[in-house]
Amino acid sequence: MAAVIAVLVGALILARLRGRRAALEEAEVWLVGLRLHHRIDAVTYQRRMSTLARGRRRIPTGPVCAVGARHG
């Protein structure tokens, strides 16, 4: 019984890691599309890709107020 539980827990952990990797890859493709369509400049692209390389989530886009906080 313990072996079955260990296998199930291992499978869940593996699925989570694969899902996270897929999400980061999707965010990377999204950023490349923004850059290719000239929706973001080179500095913003580089900053966001650097954030993704460190394993963080996609940076939201949208209006930003003068002090850097998001509107809304």
Side-chain angles (χ1 to χ4, degrees):
M1 184 65 177
V4 173
I5 293 172
V7 169
L8 289 175
V9 169
L12 290 173
I13 290 172
L14 183 61
R16 179 160 170 87
L17 291 175
R18 285 185 181 168
R20 181 170 173 82
R21 183 177 297 142
L24 288 172
E25 288 176 6
E26 179 185 340
E28 182 179 351
V29 169
W30 177 77
L31 277 174
V32 170
L34 288 178
R35 181 67 184 128
L36 288 175
H37 290 97
H38 305 289
R39 295 183 186 260
I40 57 175
D41 62 356
V43 174
T44 303
Y45 173 78
Q46 185 176 14
R47 180 177 48 85
R48 291 182 181 182
M49 288 298 268
S50 177
T51 301
L52 286 176
R54 290 190 299 264
R56 298 196 179 133
R57 293 186 179 171
R58 181 173 73 187
I59 299 170
T61 60
V64 177
C65 72
V67 294
R70 296 196 36 88
H71 285 278

